[in-house]
Amino acid sequence: RLEGEAREVTALFTDIEGFSAATAEMGAAEMVARLDAYFARVAAIVLRHGGMIDKLVGDSLHALFNAPLDQPGHEAAALACAAEIIAATEEFRRTNNGFGRTRIGVETGPAVLGDVGFGTRIDYTAHGPAVNLAARLQEANKQFGTQVCIGPGLAARVPGLRPLGEVEIRSFGRIPLFTLRA
């Protein structure tokens, strides 16, 4: 069992736009098959960029970069991963009707990592402001019409991102957000 460790991470969260509505029109077997195909593509991209799959929750994938081992350049790796996920899922969407666009939130900052749980239900995971903000940033894409929303911690480390403006994010207040350059 891994005890808690303070570590800087870049957290990446995905979500499928309109997933609930799409699944209402699919049968159970079709939904599971499409989700499996979707996650196989997205997970392969995360792993190729050195990320760790933290968990799958519903139609979302949570990934961490710079965990559990050091990953120099994790910030750039996460952004390259996000760009590749968007390209791959857009192609998937065009060929597999039923899923909407993928939205992604990405942020860098301190987190506490370790095995959390009880008994036989232990999960290596991360907790902290950067992780929480990344989860909320994927939702902020709705306000901007974007697919990748980047927090200020990551933007401060990677030049050349496009500013989106400031927005109120629950539990974080009003903060500046960014996206990838087109």
Side-chain angles (χ1 to χ4, degrees):
R1 181 167 182 173
L2 299 172
E3 301 301 322
E5 170 195 16
R7 172 181 279 276
E8 180 182 84
V9 300
T10 299
L12 182 148
F13 280 64
T14 72
D15 186 66
I16 301 171
E17 183 177 78
F19 180 76
S20 296
T23 59
E25 298 174 13
M26 291 181 214
E30 180 183 7
M31 183 191 70
V32 169
R34 285 189 188 184
L35 265 179
D36 286 350
Y38 174 87
F39 282 135
R41 282 173 173 76
V42 173
I45 294 166
V46 169
L47 296 173
R48 191 167 41 257
H49 287 276
M52 181 199 94
I53 309 298
D54 182 20
K55 61 183 61 75
L56 305 176
V57 178
D59 62 313
S60 299
L61 179 139
H62 305 175
L64 300 171
F65 294 79
N66 201 42
L69 303 173
D70 291 338
Q71 182 185 8
H74 59 92
E75 304 93 341
L79 291 177
C81 177
E84 189 175 341
I85 287 171
I86 295 302
T89 58
E90 281 300 297
E91 176 62 27
F92 181 76
R93 186 167 75 96
R94 282 191 294 276
T95 60
N96 293 278
N97 292 331
F99 280 1
R101 299 180 326 149
T102 295
R103 294 187 300 243
I104 299 174
V106 195
E107 177 63 319
T108 298
V112 173
L113 293 96
D115 289 335
V116 177
F118 65 95
T120 60
R121 299 291 300 184
I122 303 293
D123 185 27
Y124 179 82
T125 192
H127 297 277
V131 177
N132 295 341
L133 183 54
R136 289 189 173 89
L137 291 178
Q138 68 77 18
E139 292 176 22
N141 282 298
K142 294 176 192 176
Q143 290 179 264
F144 295 106
T146 53
Q147 286 186 265
V148 179
C149 193
I150 300 162
L154 177 53
R157 297 161 188 253
V158 178
L161 299 174
R162 182 169 58 93
L164 293 171
E166 288 191 0
V167 69
E168 185 78 21
I169 301 288
R170 183 173 44 98
S171 302
F172 291 91
R174 193 161 183 78
I175 60 171
L177 300 180
F178 302 82
T179 194
L180 300 171
R181 290 267 177 213

